[in-house]
């Protein structure tokens, strides 16, 4: 499938948002990019969710990405969804069938069967940087000593000590992050079918993890997330996002996957 626009002569093309089971209905008030209407193209057991877009501009604006996510996440509340890669555009509905649905229908149906009855949730935990750094100083005498030593000295006069202090703090923070993230996972993973830990580099980052949760486990998962938030109170915060389309649990493919 070609992610580029159909060409300068074409006025419109078909933007592909997702693959869903045949028989799915999109909410009447749900719109896509540029507030365009949605249409479902059915082929066998699956359907493609598409919408017309103009072809005289490039895709990639923030509003485009938000519209794409709005469509896939809204659909995911009611059915299994395979989100198609952002920016996927084909010439017309015939190409949707010939290039996307016809060669992949059985494969898509198998993935949708596996996802049925599950939703993706994302848990993002962040430290209160000031509180956690205070913990580290209190728990590590050498860090406290170096902090006091360098506090009233110039950078030039205490360069080596500052380097050593930074190394010790980074190491202590990593140990603390390992312990706290393991505690959070111990609470949440018993209620999930799968999980995917995402990388992040911010100083206050604790963990960012996607979970695939069966519908009959959602209440237990929510309670576990609330307990994780209580356990981290005063030291950080936990944010639960979802349900969303299962971006982290769909097999990747350069031609269609998000």
């Amino acid at each position: 499938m070609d992610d580029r626009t159909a060409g300068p002569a074409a006025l419109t093309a078909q933007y592909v948002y997702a693959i869903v089971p045949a028989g799915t209905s999109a909410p009447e008030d749900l719109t896509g990019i540029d507030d365009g209407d949605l249409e479902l193209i059915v082929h066998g057991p699956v359907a493609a969710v598409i919408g017309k877009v103009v072809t005289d501009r490039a895709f990639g604006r923030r509003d485009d990405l938000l519209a794409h996510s709005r469509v896939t996440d809204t659909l995911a509340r009611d059915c299994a969804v395979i989100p198609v890669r952002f920016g996927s555009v084909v010439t017309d509905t015939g190409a949707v069938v010939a290039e996307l649905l016809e060669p992949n229908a059985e494969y898509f149906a198998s993935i949708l069967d596996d996802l049925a009855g599950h939703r993706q949730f994302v848990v993002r935990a962040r430290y209160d940087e000031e509180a956690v750094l205070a913990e580290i100083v209190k728990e590590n005498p050498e860090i406290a000593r170096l902090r006091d030593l360098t506090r009233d000295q110039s950078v030039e006069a205490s360069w080596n000590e500052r380097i050593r202090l930074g190394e010790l703090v980074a190491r202590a923070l990593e140990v603390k992050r390992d312990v706290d993230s393991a505690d959070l996972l111990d609470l949440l993973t018993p209620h999930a079918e799968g999980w995917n830990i995402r990388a992040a580099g911010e100083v206050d980052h604790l963990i960012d993890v996607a979970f695939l949760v069966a519908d009959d486990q959602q209440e237990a998962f929510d309670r576990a997330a609330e307990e994780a938030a209580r356990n981290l109170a005063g030291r950080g915060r936990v944010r639960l996002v979802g349900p969303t389309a299962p971006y982290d649990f769909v097999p990747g493919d350069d031609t269609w996957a998000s």
Side-chain angles (χ1 to χ4, degrees):
M1 185 167 61
D2 190 355
D3 287 352
R4 298 168 297 177
T5 58
L11 297 177
T12 62
Q14 296 294 341
Y15 185 96
V16 186
Y17 295 92
I19 308 298
V20 296
T24 298
S25 298
E28 292 184 2
D29 60 347
L30 179 62
T31 58
I33 290 174
D34 296 330
D35 290 326
D37 293 335
L38 301 178
E39 180 182 359
L40 272 73
I41 303 298
V42 179
H43 181 80
V46 298
V49 182
I50 65 172
K52 284 185 179 180
V53 291
V54 297
T55 60
D56 60 352
R57 69 171 180 86
F59 293 98
R61 302 178 306 186
R62 181 174 182 271
D63 286 348
D64 297 338
L65 181 57
L66 290 175
H68 182 99
S69 297
R70 181 179 66 246
V71 170
T72 57
D73 290 348
T74 300
L75 292 168
R77 297 172 190 167
D78 298 315
C79 69
V81 172
I82 300 173
V84 173
R85 184 175 60 186
F86 172 71
S88 294
V89 179
V90 294
T91 53
D92 52 36
T93 56
V96 173
V97 174
E99 298 178 21
L100 181 64
L101 295 180
E102 189 170 18
N104 297 294
E106 291 185 6
Y107 180 50
F108 289 156
S110 175
I111 296 174
L112 291 170
D113 284 345
D114 290 340
L115 293 173
H118 297 79
R119 306 286 179 265
Q120 175 170 313
F121 291 85
V122 176
V123 173
R124 297 188 176 109
R126 298 289 183 269
Y127 280 131
D128 180 320
E129 186 176 345
E130 184 175 336
V132 171
L133 290 177
E135 283 182 12
I136 288 174
V137 172
K138 184 177 180 179
E139 295 165 356
N140 295 267
E142 179 65 6
I143 289 177
R145 185 188 71 81
L146 288 170
R147 185 198 61 168
D148 292 341
L149 181 66
T150 58
R151 178 178 292 163
D152 298 323
Q153 294 188 23
S154 67
V155 173
E156 293 79 6
S158 59
W159 180 255
N160 291 334
E161 290 81 3
R162 290 175 185 270
I163 293 295
R164 176 61 176 162
L165 176 60
E167 292 172 346
L168 291 175
V169 168
R171 190 179 307 162
L173 182 58
E174 192 62 33
V175 170
K176 192 173 289 291
R177 185 179 288 123
D178 288 344
V179 172
D180 289 333
S181 60
D183 288 345
L184 184 145
L185 290 172
D186 285 345
L187 285 172
L188 293 170
T189 55
H191 310 294
E193 295 288 327
W195 54 92
N196 178 40
I197 299 174
R198 300 164 164 185
E202 299 88 349
V203 173
D204 67 345
H205 167 75
L206 172 51
I207 195 169
D208 189 343
V209 54
F211 294 91
L212 188 66
V213 181
D215 291 345
D216 61 7
Q217 285 290 310
Q218 185 172 330
E219 288 187 11
F221 184 83
D222 289 344
R223 289 194 298 268
E226 290 172 359
E227 183 177 352
R230 288 194 299 270
N231 291 347
L232 200 62
R235 306 176 59 241
R237 58 201 181 278
V238 174
R239 182 186 178 201
L240 176 63
V241 179
T244 69
Y247 301 98
D248 289 73
F249 301 99
V250 172
D253 187 303
D254 286 342
T255 60
W256 55 265
S258 285

